[in-house]
Amino acid sequence: MEAFRTLDAVAVPLPRPNIDTDQIIPARFLSRPREVDHAGFLFHDARRLPDGEQDPEFALNTEAWRNARIVVAGKNFACGSSREAAVWALFDAGFRCAIAPSFGDIFSNNGMKNGLLPVVLPADVVEAIIAQVEADPGARIQVDLPAQTVTAPDGSVHGFEVDPFAKHCMLEGLDEIGLTQSYEEEIAAFERRFGRENVR
Amino acid sequence: MSETMFEKIWQKHRVLDRDDGQTLLYVDTHLLHDGGATAFDFIRNRGLKPRAPERIFATPDHYVSTSTRKVEEIEDPRHREMVEKLDRNTREFGIKQFGLGTEGQGIVHVMGPEQGLSQPGILLVCGDSHTSTHGAVGALAFGIGSTEVAHVLATQTLWQRKPKTMRIRVDGTLSDQVTGKDVILAIIAKIGAAGGTGHVLEYTGSAIRGLSMEGRLTLCNMSIEGGGRAGMVAPDDTTFQYLAGRPHAPKGAAWDTALDRWRALPSADDAVFDAEVSLDGSAIQPMVTWGNSPEDALPIDGRIPDPSKAVDAERREQMARMLVYMGLEAGTPLSEVAVDRVFIGSCTNSRIEDMRAAAAVAKGRKVAGSVRAWVVPGSEGVKRQAEAEGLHDIFRAAGFEWRQPGCSMCLGTNGDIAQPGERVASTSNRNFMGRQGPGARTHLLSPAMAAAAAITGHFTDVRRLLAGEA
Ligand code: SF4
């Protein structure tokens, strides 16, 4: 996985709550292997008008936010399906961080295993940041994972929590399987207790 | 010993704890479906193979056609390839697959309990968010992403940070035609689509105890729609009767020792949960959703809500957008909303009891001329049982299409989708924008309520239909 340390990038506002993973990437694009560039599937339907043309009102379609690498969203961002392709679509389109008051649990896990940092901030802080980036399209946000801070366009600094293990893996770009294999002895000992039976 | 059921299962599955708060958990049972090819690519690229293939069980569901059982007849080559890949991957690594046309094939969350693979006290995972379903038997079961699936394939373990617990108590006696589906929609309407985020939900109370196994599976299935990491119901005689004699359930002396263990699983009376919610079961009515989040659910006698009465501007804007997408006007009684399609199926509501409930409504009646109605049994086992009971004849005589088992219109990855603007009464679990096809308008409800909508052509209180009033 690509390591994540710090990021200074344009942030796009998606102020709605409950933006689900079906909107982030519609189901009909899920049969593609990871090697396929998923950027074109990102919000494929949500960013288009019923006639198939790009909706000029959709934030990601506007010039100022075309190069955004951070999304700032309403609560329960990326809820719903476990499709990891939701992370791939964001990642392939350049996103490395999502900020919201809460996330779908599985998306958070998927993000941290793919170099896309989910940052939970209080709802009022997220609201304020959204107001700032909406007022100044193209405004940048700084994310510092070692320090666990987000610096909003107005210069205010906000701390965030992150699981120490996930932080370590993201900072180093670690592949968890390799790490888990270093515990082979413990896993094998556990297995010897139960054989093929269910754990009891 | 004031542990919750979740805590007991968690403790037993700990391989090790790290100082940073992460726990490595051992996975008893890993279920796979045909959407999981990437995880195999992932381990193959690293020169790895499944560590414990005997703990893995697979079945194709997302990409199978519901009009044929022949893989070669799947029209879209991409879809066919997904089904074929599962077949190849399971053969290559010696994983048991319940293949197309065989007794065990079905939606992975219907197959697991039906085969007796989902058992009390186990840790079960699957690369699908509705894995929460299996918690209905008293298992700890949750969905994971494909990187995690690869991790479980390679190591049979998973890193987790301990989630919080929430007890959802539903007491009272449910009214006639109020099902597990209505209970879970009422719960999500109360706690919100993010209400359970970060929590494992345990459902308790007399109304839950009174639910059949099928009802509990429906309930736990939609835990994820309330944000829950997992959902669970303590095992009891209902659970044991359901599991007894199933192909993968313990047999003979092993059954007896398993029973002793399972009876010790329920949360202690004085167990403390991080959050508590309670609902009056006797007040729950048949529910129908109107918006694009499962939290947007109302009793059938309700009216489409008015955005101008929303609590804040954000909700107002969201409601207005949903009404536009859904083609609905504030104030319209739900019972006046006409439907174009009816879908009875999905891992939420495609078990034998669901088939029976819908057939009881369909019997001797006719699907409205304006409606196209489908029944898609959740598994080959459900299909065969339903056919043995003659339910397929009842459905066909009423004008429903009786199809082959799979996920079908729940998500449409196999091509079973509604057209833009079509309104679907669906027994599935997600009413998200575009879920059943671009522009499709999904309303969630129970199988009996869906059948009633098919007959009358609009949402109807099934109790009124059965009483001859609608
Ligand atoms: S029936 Fe629907 S929700 Fe269930 S596993 Fe299939 S696609 Fe997912």
Side-chain angles (χ1 to χ4, degrees), chain B residues 421-449:
Chain B
E422 277 190 330
R423 189 176 305 287
V424 191
S426 178
T427 66
S428 55
N429 42 51
R430 289 186 175 138
N431 50 359
F432 298 161
M433 289 178 185
R435 171 82 177 179
Q436 295 188 299
R441 296 162 169 164
T442 305
H443 297 259
L444 307 175
L445 73 189
S446 75
M449 286 287 288

Side-chain angles (χ1 to χ4, degrees), chain B residues 144-349:
Chain B
I144 54 179
S146 53
T147 302
E148 290 177 312
V149 169
H151 188 276
V152 178
L153 285 175
T155 69
Q156 202 56 31
T157 62
L158 193 63
W159 291 103
Q160 290 283 298
R161 167 171 289 270
K162 198 195 254 183
K164 295 195 186 116
T165 54
M166 177 185 284
R167 174 161 53 191
I168 300 181
R169 181 183 289 281
V170 189
D171 280 314
T173 306
L174 300 179
S175 307
D176 177 39
Q177 299 293 342
V178 172
T179 65
K181 183 60 158 287
D182 305 295
V183 173
I184 188 62
L185 286 173
I187 290 171
I188 299 167
K190 179 173 172 118
I191 68 173
T197 303
H199 291 75
V200 167
L201 317 180
E202 183 179 339
Y203 304 96
T204 65
S206 55
I208 306 295
R209 295 259 75 82
L211 287 175
S212 65
M213 208 57 231
E214 283 86 352
R216 295 177 189 183
L217 289 160
T218 301
L219 179 82
C220 289
N221 172 272
M222 290 188 67
S223 300
I224 181 81
E225 272 63 58
R229 190 82 184 90
M232 320 174 89
V233 174
D236 58 11
D237 288 341
T238 301
T239 320
F240 308 143
Q241 274 160 24
Y242 176 89
L243 285 174
R246 297 208 173 252
H248 288 265
K251 306 261 164 14
W255 171 261
D256 296 331
T257 51
L259 260 193
D260 287 342
R261 276 202 319 277
W262 295 347
R263 288 194 200 281
L265 277 171
S267 297
D269 291 339
D270 59 347
V272 178
F273 290 77
D274 297 300
E276 298 267 1
V277 173
S278 63
L279 271 80
D280 175 6
S282 62
I284 299 174
Q285 300 296 313
M287 304 288 282
V288 180
T289 65
W290 58 269
N292 298 113
S293 167
E295 69 185 10
D296 304 318
L298 284 173
I300 176 64
D301 59 5
R303 288 168 183 268
I304 306 301
D306 185 348
S308 72
K309 301 208 172 75
V311 285
D312 55 34
E314 181 188 83
R315 179 67 179 159
R316 183 154 56 242
E317 191 266 350
Q318 184 199 20
M319 284 173 69
R321 263 170 35 85
M322 293 194 296
L323 291 189
V324 170
Y325 181 86
M326 294 298 289
L328 293 169
E329 290 221 24
T332 311
L334 267 176
S335 59
E336 286 177 14
V337 176
V339 304
D340 305 302
R341 311 264 318 237
V342 170
F343 170 61
I344 298 174
S346 89
C347 58
T348 313
N349 278 126

Side-chain angles (χ1 to χ4, degrees), chain B residues 61-62 107-109 128 130 221 346-347 407 410-411 429 435:
Chain B
D61 54 7
H62 286 69
I107 305 172
V108 66
H109 310 308
D128 188 277
H130 290 101
N221 172 272
S346 89
C347 58
C407 294
C410 171
L411 156 100
N429 42 51
R435 171 82 177 179

Side-chain angles (χ1 to χ4, degrees), chain B residues 104-121:
Chain B
Q105 184 269 336
I107 305 172
V108 66
H109 310 308
V110 176
M111 174 277 273
E114 183 179 278
Q115 293 299 312
L117 289 165
S118 321
Q119 294 176 18

